[in-house]
Amino acid sequence: MAKQTRRTPLVADKRYPSGGGGKSAAKTPRRGGKAAAKAKPKTKARKSAPRKSNGGGGGFFGAIRALIRWIFGLIWGFSWRMGMVIALLIAAGVGYHYTKLPEMATLLDGRARGSVTLLDRAGNVFAWRGDQFGGVVTSDTVSPNLKNAIIATEDKRFYRHFGISPRGIASAVSINLSEGRGPLSGHGGSTITQQTAKLLCLGEPFDPSSGQTEAEYEANCRQGTLWRKVKEAIYAMAMEVKYSKDEILTIYMNRAFLGAGARGFEAASQRYFGKSAAEVSPSEAAMLAGLLAAPTRYAPTNSLTRAQNRAGVIVGLMEDQGYLTTAEADQARRQPAELSEAAAARAGGYFADWVMDETPEFFGDKTTEDVIIKTTLDQNIQAAAEEAMKFVFQERVSDGSKAQAAIVVMSADGAVRAMVGGRKTRVSGVFNRASQAKRQTGSAFKPFVYATALDLGASPLDTVVDEPFCMTIPGSGQWCPENYTHKHYGRVTLTEALKKSLNIPAVKTSEKYGRDKVRIVASEFGIDSDLAAGPALALGASESTLIEMTGAYAGILNGGSSVTPFGLTELRLLGDDTPLFGAAGGIGERVIRTEAAEQLIWMLEKVVTEGTGSRAQIPGWQVAGKTGTSQQARDAWFIGFSADYVAGVWMGYDDNTPLKGVTGSGLPAEIWHETMVRVHEGRTPRPLPMREPIPPHRPDGEATGGGAEGGVGGAVNQLLRDIFGRGAANR
């Protein structure tokens, strides 16, 4: 047997030392060898101790815990997936609106209708109608006070949010719930961007052809439903992407409605303060910003005190947020904003309404352009009429009386200088008793009876017998007029009959010279109402408006030519110096001869100096006029004139209740007097253009009045005056 050679140990074997002098334990034995048999047995693995149950590892509580984990996992998985879907939908909505949003400059004037600015005869603004837009302002051109007031009031985090303010919404919901309202009712927590989105109606323009009115359109834009709020938020975020913060603020400042027809802060600043939005003080800025919450309620033209109180709150916000120092805030509180003279006066409310009614709709209430209308209004005369109305009612009328009155003042050519349509003088859009109320004229109609007679050759000195008188009216039977005093005065001249306002002589004169001719003369003088057909025409049984009657008397003053009362003298578009049209009224065709008109003025002057109109006298001035009281004293009138102005006054109840103790010679004459005294203050007296009649002479040299045929003598006298001149006959 060969000798066995000893194997040299491998390097790997030397890594592990042998234990107990034996061979290395790490040496891998061959399968079936002796080494395998001698190998140490493997140590048995120690079993871990069982965990004590905490109630969640198994059993009932473990099952509950596993169920809760599963539910929360399900909710979380659903939530983040839905969140992703909603985020994608919002992103899609924002992207869609972003592509549709136009350039900022096209969004600044969003009015569906234009404005009407009314100027008085001196060219000063006294009224606005429609939606006033004063011009474009930007966040850079307005006063810093105004910009700060808007942000402090509406959205103090405006420059820090992305279009919506979760904190603001949460705060608004909390306030609404605490005040007992629904979460979306009341405070909305809207940012300026969201409010601008609402002003833009989420990009849906007004379409007149849709059949929807502008009011319905705006109501739809202001909806506060949850879905509308969601769409508004998406649109607001799109605006934040499209425009800068200052551009959004610029759109907001130009489109906001701020009361009294003002759209945008420039229009509101001009409307209330008569200055640009670039010039407003802190107190004025606070008042303008305060309008955003409730434009009509806080409009200073509705309640200056309420507007000032609201502005005080805004001043406090500006102080708290560091926009005003304590000293500046105290100054703003001590000197609150005041209305401009034009806004404070609000003169000519009735007048402005009347002018708008007389203006074609497409340039008036329904204009889509900005229109400038120059008018005949004299604000000093308007103020005089308003003061006179208040004075008489305060001094002469019992408290609680529901009686109403109206005043019209005009020039002899029909240019209306003042109009008061009721006791509440500074109102608009209400019933105008000066132009809309048709009332019986009573004895104020009688001058047109005598105008007819004079034009046909009668003399103011012609006579008529005042005695009991009856006549038969076909279809109605016998009619017997009575004088107001229920007395008879025998033979009287036409002048005496007029100055005493006798009824029987007026009826006799009308019947003698022709009732139909009286109707024609009255109609041509501008009394366009349906004139009575019977003999009661002479007593003013017909109805007319105050402005018609005043215009008819103006025709007498101007020498006998008709007059169409007018208030508009020029209409043009804003920015255009060429008028589109001018006055539509004025002096028209001649109605009676100049000589007849001058004689009638002489008769009417006697009414004031010697007759029923004595309360209308004005010291130092010649004035003429006529009283009027309708049946059962339901209407009382005084209409008259000086050489400069014609004025008419009506008094009565809206429901035709008879006046108690009031006739035309009473309160209406006093209102007329108080008005005209104020109107003529500081003016140089001028004589009336009247002609005193020359009495006919008998052979013995004694003067006598004309008889039943006196008209012929009057015509002869008139012919002689025409030949030899009228200077000697004038007074």
Side-chain angles (χ1 to χ4, degrees):
M1 178 185 239
K3 187 177 180 180
Q4 190 174 1
T5 305
R6 188 175 180 180
R7 183 176 62 89
T8 304
L10 297 174
V11 175
D13 294 336
K14 296 178 180 179
R15 291 164 51 191
Y16 303 98
S18 59
K23 301 215 182 201
S24 175
K27 186 176 180 180
T28 303
R30 294 183 181 179
R31 189 180 297 269
K34 291 181 180 179
K38 292 181 179 179
K40 270 187 175 183
K42 292 182 179 179
T43 304
K44 188 176 181 179
R46 188 177 61 182
K47 292 183 180 179
S48 58
R51 291 184 180 179
K52 293 182 180 180
S53 174
N54 291 326
F60 175 75
F61 292 106
I64 293 296
R65 184 175 181 183
L67 178 62
I68 292 173
R69 283 201 304 267
W70 179 81
I71 291 173
F72 273 101
L74 183 64
I75 292 173
W76 168 249
F78 178 78
S79 296
W80 76 261
R81 287 176 176 82
M82 282 302 299
M84 287 294 294
V85 172
I86 292 172
L88 289 172
L89 290 175
I90 291 174
V94 170
Y96 171 78
H97 287 302
Y98 173 84
T99 61
K100 297 293 184 180
L101 284 169
E103 292 301 314
M104 182 268 291
T106 65
L107 299 175
L108 302 182
D109 184 0
R111 296 171 299 158
R113 61 174 180 160
S115 65
V116 179
T117 300
L118 294 120
L119 311 179
D120 65 13
R121 64 185 300 192
N124 299 314
V125 175
F126 75 92
W128 293 267
R129 294 292 185 271
D131 289 345
Q132 193 79 13
F133 184 68
V136 172
V137 294
T138 70
S139 60
D140 295 327
T141 60
V142 299
S143 165
N145 295 316
L146 180 55
K147 181 178 178 179
N148 294 337
I150 294 169
I151 293 174
T153 306
E154 296 298 309
D155 188 0
K156 64 182 180 181
R157 300 183 185 90
F158 175 65
Y159 283 101
R160 299 195 297 273
H161 59 62
F162 56 93
I164 59 175
S165 174
R167 288 175 60 183
I169 294 172
S171 176
V173 169
S174 175
I175 293 172
N176 291 334
L177 292 175
S178 67
E179 294 178 352
R181 294 192 293 265
L184 299 179
S185 301
H187 302 279
S190 296
T191 64
I192 285 177
T193 311
Q194 287 175 278
Q195 293 180 51
T196 306
K198 186 177 294 184
L199 289 172
L200 296 174
C201 203
L202 309 186
E204 301 170 10
F206 174 61
D207 182 10
S209 64
S210 66
Q212 189 181 42
T213 66
E214 186 178 357
E216 292 170 341
Y217 165 78
E218 291 185 349
N220 183 61
C221 294
R222 291 193 297 268
Q223 284 184 17
T225 62
L226 179 60
W227 177 237
R228 187 77 179 185
K229 288 285 186 182
V230 171
K231 294 197 295 184
E232 181 183 293
I234 294 173
Y235 195 89
M237 286 188 283
M239 291 181 64
E240 291 279 346
V241 177
K242 178 74 173 181
Y243 309 120
S244 69
K245 288 287 189 180
D246 284 340
E247 287 177 330
I248 293 171
L249 186 59
T250 293
I251 297 170
Y252 183 64
M253 290 191 299
N254 283 282
R255 293 191 71 114
F257 176 67
L258 298 166
R263 294 278 181 177
F265 280 90
E266 180 65 17
S269 183
Q270 295 287 355
R271 173 71 179 87
Y272 300 125
F273 308 128
K275 63 173 65 173
S276 169
E279 302 170 341
V280 293
S281 66
S283 60
E284 292 166 340
M287 184 174 287
L288 291 175
L291 295 167
L292 291 165
T296 301
R297 173 174 174 76
Y298 293 122
T301 47
N302 287 339
S303 173
L304 181 59
T305 300
R306 188 161 54 220
Q308 289 175 335
N309 291 339
R310 171 67 178 165
V313 175
I314 309 304
V315 168
L317 292 174
M318 296 173 71
E319 181 183 11
D320 292 342
Q321 296 175 37
Y323 293 119
L324 293 177
T325 64
T326 300
E328 290 170 335
D330 289 342
Q331 175 72 10
R333 294 187 188 99
R334 286 194 303 270
Q335 296 181 349
E338 297 285 348
L339 288 172
S340 68
E341 185 177 347
R346 291 292 301 277
Y350 290 105
F351 179 89
D353 287 347
W354 173 66
V355 169
M356 292 296 290
D357 287 342
E358 299 295 307
T359 302
E361 278 192 342
F362 49 85
F363 284 125
D365 293 327
K366 295 184 178 180
T367 180
T368 57
E369 304 286 346
D370 290 324
V371 175
I372 308 294
I373 296 178
K374 189 171 183 180
T375 72
T376 59
L377 180 72
D378 187 313
Q379 295 202 63
N380 292 327
I381 296 178
Q382 178 71 32
E386 292 176 357
E387 290 170 7
M389 173 89 77
K390 290 179 180 179
F391 175 80
V392 173
F393 272 90
Q394 287 174 355
E395 299 295 325
R396 303 283 189 269
V397 180
S398 60
D399 294 339
S401 172
K402 298 292 182 65
Q404 283 288 349
I407 305 171
V408 172
V409 182
M410 67 176 64
S411 299
D413 62 354
V416 177
R417 304 302 181 190
M419 179 181 290
V420 182
R423 289 172 63 179
K424 291 184 178 180
T425 56
R426 296 183 180 182
V427 293
S428 294
V430 297
F431 183 65
N432 188 341
R433 296 163 188 84
S435 63
Q436 295 175 308
K438 289 192 172 185
R439 308 298 291 246
Q440 280 194 345
T441 59
S443 295
F445 184 83
K446 288 175 182 174
F448 305 104
V449 173
Y450 295 108
T452 305
L454 294 172
D455 193 55
L456 293 174
S459 165
L461 301 180
D462 286 352
T463 60
V464 61
V465 179
D466 178 30
E467 60 187 355
F469 172 77
C470 294
M471 61 184 296
T472 300
I473 302 175
S476 299
Q478 197 174 54
W479 178 64
C480 303
E482 287 283 346
N483 292 325
Y484 180 77
T485 60
H486 300 290
K487 297 178 181 179
H488 300 98
Y489 300 89
R491 184 169 292 279
V492 294
T493 64
L494 301 185
T495 301
E496 290 172 327
L498 182 62
K499 74 182 184 183
K500 292 180 179 178
S501 200
L502 302 177
N503 289 338
I504 293 171
V507 172
K508 285 187 172 183
T509 301
S510 174
E511 294 302 303
K512 174 182 177 181
Y513 288 97
R515 190 190 313 160
D516 290 341
K517 292 183 176 64
V518 173
R519 287 167 55 87
I520 291 171
V521 167
S523 178
E524 290 183 349
F525 266 124
I527 303 176
D528 294 328
S529 304
D530 186 16
L531 295 172
L537 168 73
L539 305 183
S542 304
E543 294 180 338
S544 184
T545 63
L546 177 61
I547 194 166
E548 282 182 354
M549 291 294 291
T550 309
Y553 275 65
I556 297 171
L557 175 60
N558 70 32
S561 295
S562 64
V563 158
T564 301
F566 66 99
L568 184 154
T569 59
E570 179 182 290
L571 184 148
R572 60 183 174 85
L573 299 181
L574 180 65
D576 191 349
D577 294 333
T578 304
L580 296 179
F581 54 84
I587 296 177
E589 299 292 328
R590 177 164 296 284
V591 180
I592 60 175
R593 295 177 296 113
T594 301
E595 292 76 14
E598 291 173 346
Q599 289 179 336
L600 181 58
I601 293 171
W602 181 83
M603 294 171 68
L604 291 169
E605 194 265 349
K606 296 301 179 189
V607 173
V608 175
T609 57
E610 303 173 12
T612 58
S614 59
R615 293 190 185 185
Q617 294 180 24
I618 301 176
W621 284 84
Q622 287 183 341
V623 295
K626 182 68 185 76
T627 59
T629 308
S630 67
Q631 293 180 354
Q632 298 182 354
R634 289 190 173 93
D635 304 282
W637 305 71
F638 189 89
I639 308 173
F641 45 79
S642 67
D644 293 343
Y645 293 106
V646 187
V649 175
W650 166 87
M651 188 173 180
Y653 287 96
D654 288 338
D655 61 0
N656 271 323
T657 299
L659 292 161
K660 294 181 180 179
V662 177
T663 64
S665 62
L667 289 176
E670 290 190 36
I671 295 173
W672 190 94
H673 165 83
E674 294 295 336
T675 299
M676 295 294 265
V677 164
R678 289 168 171 79
V679 167
H680 290 83
E681 186 176 354
R683 302 180 69 89
T684 301
R686 294 196 303 134
L688 285 169
M690 60 186 182
R691 179 180 296 233
E692 183 177 359
I694 299 175
H697 289 268
R698 295 190 312 205
D700 59 6
E702 293 184 10
T704 180
E709 292 79 28
V712 176
V716 172
N717 288 332
Q718 184 60 55
L719 178 60
L720 292 174
R721 283 195 295 271
D722 289 341
I723 295 173
F724 296 104
R726 26 179 161 151
N730 287 336
R731 174 180 164 187

